[in-house]
Amino acid sequence: MQGTNNQNSELAGILGVLNALDDEVAVLDASGYIVASNVAWEQFCVENGGEPGSCSIGTNYLAVCTSADGTSSAAAQIVPDGLMRTLKTGNTFRCEYPCDSPSEKRWFELTANRYQEEDRHYLIVQHRNITKRHIEREEIEQTYINSNAMAALIATTSDAIISYDLDGKILTWNPSAEKLYGYEKTEILGQSLETLYPDNWPKRVAYYRDEIIAGRLQDFEATRVAKDGTEREVWISCAPVRNMDGEIIAISNIHRDITDVRNAERARDLIANEVIHRAKNMLTIVLAIQRQTARNAATLEDFNRYFGARLASLSKSTDLLVHNAWTSVSLRDIVTGHLEPFSLVDDKRVIITGPHIHLQPESVQTIGMAIHELATNSAKYGVFRQDRGRISISWHVAEGNGLLQFRWLETGIIVDGKPTKKGFGNTVLTSHATTLLDAKTTYGVGADGIEWKIELPALHFHVR
């Protein structure tokens, strides 16, 4: 304890107490001068950048506060008024303020109480270091802000955000996950993540869990199945979830639906392959047109006229398939247009029957590609090549399900055997329509003929 030579004897009762306190404590007289202070107060002054004795006994503390500058100056300006009110009223004065040292950020709580001895009033000013409490409070507030921000992000993002425990049980399920997969939160929480897996999916949830925990897997592409059975292609970003002790307790997933992107890529690749495929087949088609035209032309003039017309039709057919020029096209026009390079006028080998149907652009392209492929095959191996048999092309709208049912049936030809491998043509006739139009197709090669059928949903056509 330190004091001055003229220190009032009435302070003697509290002098021994002050040094026993951890807090910084000073006693001010009614004019604001420090008349007593403990060791902690003196140390606080030095740590705060002050010179020894600059805020010791004999210093006017109110003047020090008034002249303060820096980060704590705003709080320091209110201290003199607060201390004077406490001297007059006896009410406790309390405030918090930052008071950084040269090496760290600090916060303090200042408390002032009036002490009276006989007719003299004193102020006992106490400083308490509340840095830890202040930091913890700020961390809690920031955590609350971050938590709310994260909750808002999860609730509003267009990506499905899912988390599951180490046994694969779903823990969280945001609104976009409901939209993507069709399961409401109440029915999916607690269920295995493998509920979303297709049948016979080769990798189980434990494989993904272990790879994520080991740090070998951060993202991947997979197929997942919605409640209604629809398969979705998703890009999955993943990370482990840790508790306060750093232990991994769960796995988080972000599922981004890329089904439309992949379908568009497949369609683009298919068109590119179609162009390449057509370039390779063009000479064969031209030779078939030349052979068939020459067989029926009476004169060279007739040959030139018919041969030129069929080449022009072939060019128009290619433009239709590659550039998709029509917005709504008669199915009969599509069939006859694509058969024109291969068949004769009023060709008795070809029978076409069906009501007036108009196709939408995406189905124009798909059906056109298929007819072109079937006609090309026929020119190479079937009716148009062998000059025997019949091609029956028919379509109708089914009464029960409203699907457009289209059929190509080629009979009465000699089939050497089924194809030994599936090439691009087989892709056009089987998987192309299934992928792009959600249609059902069948394609078969029998002992004496070929049959191709497709069922188109109602959104791809209309009846006129």
Side-chain angles (χ1 to χ4, degrees), residues 29-32 62 79-90 123:
D29 65 15
S31 299
L62 300 182
V79 171
D81 291 340
L83 296 182
M84 294 307 295
R85 284 197 302 272
T86 298
L87 273 172
K88 293 178 180 179
T89 65
L123 280 176

Side-chain angles (χ1 to χ4, degrees), residues 271-281:
I271 296 300
N273 287 334
E274 169 67 6
V275 172
I276 296 171
H277 180 64
R278 281 178 174 275
K280 291 180 179 178
N281 284 340

Side-chain angles (χ1 to χ4, degrees), residues 408-430:
W408 171 293
L409 181 61
E410 193 168 354
T411 57
I413 58 176
I414 298 174
V415 180
D416 293 334
K418 293 184 177 181
T420 56
K421 62 179 182 178
K422 296 181 178 180
F424 175 75
N426 186 274
T427 300
V428 170
L429 296 172
T430 55

